[in-house]
């Protein structure tokens, strides 16, 4: 099985990413439409976004082992641009959200 995954890494990645994402989304959709009676919290929907990340980590582990995971982590956390650009990318969404809240309060009063 691992040999097939190594030969078809892109296909395996997409299958795994969709499988992880849909494992969260399908029960939520079934509960929403009343097809199952389980009480599933709606915040679980956000976990589906972890499908590609988890697939990437699993595929890296399967194809390159622990050394591949270490190389991946080293590349992810390597600073390649100025710190102010990272700060902007982290703070801009929060600032836009705050601006949207203020504008909502101003225009709707709630």
């Amino acid at each position: 099985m691992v040999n097939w995954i190594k030969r078809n890494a892109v296909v395996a990645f997409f299958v795994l990413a969709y499988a992880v994402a849909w494992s969260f989304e399908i029960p939520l959709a079934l509960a929403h439409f009343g097809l199952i009676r389980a009480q599933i919290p709606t915040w679980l929907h956000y976990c589906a976004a972890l499908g590609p990340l988890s697939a990437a980590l699993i595929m890296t582990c399967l194809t390159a082992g622990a050394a591949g995971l270490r190389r991946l982590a080293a590349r992810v956390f390597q600073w390649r641009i100025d710190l102010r650009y990272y700060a902007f990318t982290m703070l801009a969404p929060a600032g836009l959200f705050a601006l949207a809240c203020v504008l909502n309060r101003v225009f709707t009063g709630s």
Side-chain angles (χ1 to χ4, degrees):
M1 182 72 163
V2 174
N3 288 332
W4 183 88
I5 290 173
K6 286 182 179 182
R7 285 192 318 269
N8 302 297
V10 174
V11 172
F13 167 79
F14 279 102
V15 168
L16 191 57
Y18 277 105
V20 170
W22 288 355
S23 69
F24 289 104
E25 294 294 346
I26 289 173
L28 285 166
L30 293 175
H32 175 74
F33 289 112
L35 299 173
I36 59 174
R37 296 203 181 272
Q39 293 284 18
I40 301 173
T42 55
W43 60 263
L44 202 58
H45 165 73
Y46 298 110
C47 294
L50 298 175
L53 172 65
S54 60
L57 293 175
I58 291 169
M59 289 300 300
T60 301
C61 185
L62 288 176
T63 58
L69 287 174
R70 282 191 294 276
R71 285 193 311 269
L72 178 64
R75 289 181 59 112
V76 166
F77 295 109
Q78 182 181 21
W79 295 89
R80 290 182 219 117
I81 61 173
D82 195 33
L83 182 61
R84 66 179 175 219
Y85 296 113
Y86 278 110
F88 176 77
T89 59
M90 295 299 157
L91 297 175
L96 289 173
F97 178 74
L99 177 65
C101 289
V102 168
L103 291 174
N104 184 44
R105 172 76 67 165
V106 168
F107 289 116
T108 65
S110 60

